[in-house]
Amino acid sequence: MAAISRDDVAHLARLSRIEMSDAELDHMASELGVILGAVARVQEVATDDIPPTSHAIPLHNVFREDVVKPSLTPEESLSGAPATDGPRFKVPQILGEAE
Amino acid sequence: MTHIYSTAAQMSAALAAKEVSSVDLTKEHLARIAQVDTDVHAFLYVDKEGALAQAEAADKLRAAGGAISPLAGVPLALKDVLAQKGIPTTCGSKMLENWRPPYDSTVVTKLKAAGVVILGKTNMDEFAMGSSTENSAYGPTHNPWDLDRIPGGSGGGSAAALAAFEAPLAIGTDTGGSIRQPAAVTGTVGVKPTYGGVSRYGLVAFSSSLDQAGPCARTVLDTALLHEVIAGYDERDSTSINQAVPDVVAAAKRQEVKGMKIGVVKELGGDGFQAGVSQRFQEALEILVANGAEIVEVSCPNFEYALAAYYLIAPSEASSNLARFDSMRYGIRVGDDGTVGAEEVMRATRHLGFGPEVKRRIILGTYALSSGYYDAYYGSAQKVRTLIKRDYEKAFESVDVLVSPTCPTTAFKIGEKSDDPLAMYLNDIATIPVNMAGIGGMSLPCGLAPEDNLPVGFQIMSPVMQDDRMYRVGGTLEAALVSKWGQPLLSAETKLAVK
């Protein structure tokens, strides 16, 4: 079980927005097959009567008053940007792409 | 006379007695880094000017006679996964090469408020994914005991800096053992506090439900002193626990375990554990018995599924967390020549910016969260998490703490497991259950394995927000071991691979 094809990996890589070479896809497919075979063990004990735990410490939503506090200046917010245009992040075209 | 071989507590006392200034203490450590770090490569960035400025400020504060924290003026090494304003924070990744955060993480804010001197940023597996520091985009860190061996991971840089006497204190983060396993293989002490005990604000997220920052040092007391500085409620972290921090410093000083019940986890030992690791672990148990503790064997039958569940949960959370590295607002950007769209730029950036292990985990996590596979993988892993939690709850009904060897083996050779992800993952077999349940875990040295003369780690686990218990047991065991050996495992006399 847990066989994973090269096409499966290519699909996952697309979903993850990671470009991969043919060699990377082949390598990843064989590695993932082995890893999935090992981690699939969780299914042996995960019966219907067990509730899932997403978080070890029980937590409730934490609220606070909506009060304005000091935060980063526009200059600080933009300080790590790969490209800027005035007080804005400059990004590549996001609409009208081929796909 | 140099102070680098002293403990942080001793440095603190020397500073208080004005035997040494923080500036001189900091210079001694900077000189040590210059002397050995070409070989060890514990640091990715040394902030010489910043450290000296912080040291000068600590000296001035002391001279003014004001209230001062016990660790004021004592130097520290910071894992490169925590944001420090204006200082490069790379997470060992090309993705964040040259990124300088515009803010401080809460851990850094607390360190600065206490007057701790931050020497620089330490090497790590990329985005904290790994057990050897070989996954750093900036080259591996070498174990000061044997430069051909790994210093553990992901916090190998912090642990190696301590073992090589480049710093007396360090900060690590622990998602599946990244504080405790490096501590074990370098002969140092590391603590993963209760989840929520130390703020995650400004800690670059890998697996948010498991990540926890914690203190590292060469002694249990030094670790406790640092724990006290960085722990506590933070309104900027929605998972921060709003309770008083357990008195870990008093617990570390207590040095007695009479009447304590200590559970040995049957499933975390025996087959697959190196003979010398098991031997040193057994000897440590005998010491605890001689000090009045009662040892009982405890079974946690679901721990054998912990590794499998972890390698579904952590990659799933990582695949979501690392989606933020999209080359738009910070980090590197690749291929933006004006002719291609944002998605293509993202793909090219993530292709170049992430290393193989990070890609492996993002793809694995994306798979485990895909519709059609979600219930079978991620859903089942979350159920296993419930079972592990229940195993701990049951065990802690009858014992005060649980113990095991921290790792199945001593430090392995660099390159030995880098082509076999599954073999690499097995290093974490004894440390992962702690993160799954959110409880506290400590590793402290219990000797050198006879077959290879490399450090062995002893792990102590304590219930949620009872972190003081592991310090009490650890402090007692450490004192007995040091008295047996005649000196600490790491001292000026220790024969390290760096002089």
Side-chain angles (χ1 to χ4, degrees):
Chain A
M1 74 154 294
I4 185 159
S5 71
R6 190 177 177 284
D7 284 349
D8 292 336
V9 178
H11 174 64
L12 293 166
R14 256 194 315 277
L15 288 175
S16 315
R17 307 280 187 273
I18 301 175
E19 190 182 297
M20 280 196 188
S21 66
D22 288 350
E24 272 184 299
L25 289 173
D26 285 334
H27 192 59
M28 188 76 76
S30 75
E31 275 181 345
L32 275 188
V34 175
I35 295 170
L36 280 172
V39 297
R41 287 200 67 205
V42 292
Q43 293 156 11
E44 292 171 19
V45 285
T47 49
D48 288 344
D49 56 324
I50 304 163
T53 296
S54 63
H55 209 274
I57 316 285
L59 277 173
H60 304 284
N61 270 337
V62 180
F63 296 99
R64 63 167 170 80
E65 292 305 310
D66 187 13
V67 180
V68 176
K69 289 183 182 176
S71 60
L72 298 181
T73 63
E75 292 73 28
E76 285 170 329
S77 300
L78 291 165
S79 63
T84 56
D85 182 358
R88 292 173 290 267
F89 293 98
K90 189 177 177 186
V91 302
Q93 184 185 346
I94 55 167
L95 295 173
E97 278 191 76
E99 43 189 333
Chain B
M1 191 198 88
T2 180
H3 297 81
I4 61 165
Y5 299 107
S6 304
T7 67
Q10 288 165 343
M11 290 180 202
S12 169
L15 286 164
K18 307 237 161 72
E19 289 164 23
V20 66
S21 69
S22 177
V23 168
D24 286 341
L25 197 55
T26 302
K27 281 182 179 166
E28 287 176 11
H29 284 93
L30 290 169
R32 177 69 176 175
I33 292 168
Q35 182 196 343
V36 301
D37 212 51
T38 330
D39 290 332
V40 179
H41 193 226
F43 284 87
L44 291 177
Y45 183 84
V46 178
D47 181 23
K48 195 174 166 184
E49 280 174 29
L52 287 170
Q54 291 166 47
E56 212 178 309
D59 284 339
K60 275 191 184 142
L61 193 65
R62 195 179 295 280
I68 197 158
S69 149
L71 293 181
V74 179
L76 170 141
L78 183 67
K79 190 177 179 184
D80 204 27
V81 70
L82 284 145
Q84 182 182 355
K85 189 174 179 173
I87 302 297
T89 299
T90 70
C91 296
S93 180
K94 271 194 192 135
M95 186 62 86
L96 289 176
E97 194 165 18
N98 300 320
W99 180 58
R100 292 174 188 253
Y103 70 105
D104 279 330
S105 52
T106 296
V107 166
V108 167
T109 301
K110 283 175 175 278
L111 291 170
K112 285 181 175 174
V116 176
V117 174
I118 303 172
L119 294 169
K121 308 295 290 289
T122 55
N123 200 11
M124 55 187 280
D125 286 299
E126 185 176 4
F127 289 109
M129 298 177 193
S131 311
S132 67
T133 317
E134 292 169 284
N135 295 336
S136 168
Y138 305 99
T141 296
H142 301 263
N143 193 320
W145 290 84
D146 177 347
L147 296 174
D148 293 331
R149 292 179 189 269
I150 59 109
S154 66
S158 284
L162 296 170
F165 297 97
E166 295 172 82
L169 299 169
I171 298 290
T173 61
D174 191 314
T175 305
S178 288
I179 285 175
R180 291 161 288 153
Q181 183 255 7
V185 301
T186 56
T188 59
V189 182
V191 163
K192 185 208 95 75
T194 293
Y195 180 86
V198 175
S199 171
R200 289 187 296 112
Y201 178 76
L203 157 60
V204 180
F206 155 23
S207 180
S208 307
S209 79
L210 303 166
D211 295 343
Q212 181 63 79
C216 311
R218 287 188 294 265
T219 71
V220 172
L221 177 60
D222 287 359
T223 310
L225 289 167
L226 185 56
H227 189 132
E228 197 171 50
V229 168
I230 61 171
Y233 177 68
D234 180 15
E235 62 174 22
R236 289 178 139 156
D237 173 2
S238 63
T239 57
S240 179
I241 294 179
N242 197 353
Q243 280 178 36
V245 179
D247 194 346
V248 293
V249 173
K253 287 177 174 169
R254 193 159 158 185
Q255 300 197 355
E256 64 85 17
V257 288
K258 272 190 197 69
M260 279 190 94
K261 282 183 98 169
I262 296 176
V264 177
V265 183
K266 196 176 87 178
E267 286 79 7
L268 302 180
D271 284 352
F273 282 70
Q274 188 180 321
V277 168
S278 300
Q279 184 189 331
R280 294 297 181 231
F281 176 71
Q282 287 301 329
E283 289 166 5
L285 291 180
E286 284 157 27
I287 287 176
L288 290 169
V289 170
N291 278 270
E294 185 189 340
I295 305 285
V296 291
E297 192 181 77
V298 171
S299 177
C300 295
N302 295 294
F303 280 17
E304 66 167 295
Y305 300 98
L307 193 73
Y310 176 87
Y311 279 100
L312 286 165
I313 291 171
S316 295
E317 292 188 14
S319 72
S320 167
N321 271 324
L322 272 63
R324 76 192 58 191
F325 299 107
D326 58 7
S327 79
M328 297 297 134
R329 290 149 300 158
Y330 57 96
I332 62 165
R333 182 183 289 179
V334 177
D336 182 17
D337 59 6
T339 69
V340 295
E343 284 211 9
E344 202 163 319
V345 171
M346 275 183 215
R347 277 199 293 270
T349 302
R350 289 160 69 83
H351 169 77
L352 231 100
F354 291 142
E357 180 64 20
V358 172
K359 287 178 187 165
R360 195 179 290 132
R361 295 205 195 184
I362 290 175
I363 298 289
L364 177 60
T366 305
Y367 180 82
L369 293 176
S370 307
S371 68
Y373 299 105
Y374 183 95
D375 288 339
Y377 289 102
Y378 185 65
S380 298
Q382 286 193 317
K383 289 180 175 183
V384 169
R385 198 166 179 184
T386 305
L387 295 174
I388 290 161
K389 228 184 135 192
R390 286 180 184 167
D391 277 358
Y392 272 120
E393 281 162 4
K394 185 155 177 283
F396 284 129
E397 279 172 17
S398 56
V399 299
D400 298 303
V401 296
L402 291 164
V403 297
S404 76
T406 310
C407 308
T409 69
T410 55
F412 50 90
K413 291 253 169 75
I414 290 174
E416 194 180 320
K417 298 186 183 181
S418 42
D419 292 333
D420 187 350
L422 270 185
M424 187 70 92
Y425 297 169
L426 279 169
N427 280 299
D428 307 332
I429 197 151
T431 47
I432 276 174
V434 165
N435 302 77
M436 300 288 273
I439 65 168
M442 167 188 282
S443 179
L444 78 156
C446 62
L448 302 178
E451 60 268 44
D452 54 21
N453 277 316
L454 290 167
V456 176
F458 185 91
Q459 180 175 236
I460 309 167
M461 299 164 266
S462 57
V464 166
M465 285 310 266
Q466 309 287 334
D467 301 31
D468 49 326
R469 290 191 197 170
M470 55 189 172
Y471 282 98
R472 180 175 167 195
V473 176
T476 308
L477 178 58
E478 178 188 65
L481 285 167
V482 170
S483 127
K484 179 179 158 187
W485 298 330
Q487 65 196 22
L489 197 66
L490 275 166
S491 73
E493 317 301 320
T494 307
K495 286 190 179 63
L496 292 174
V498 288
K499 294 248 166 58

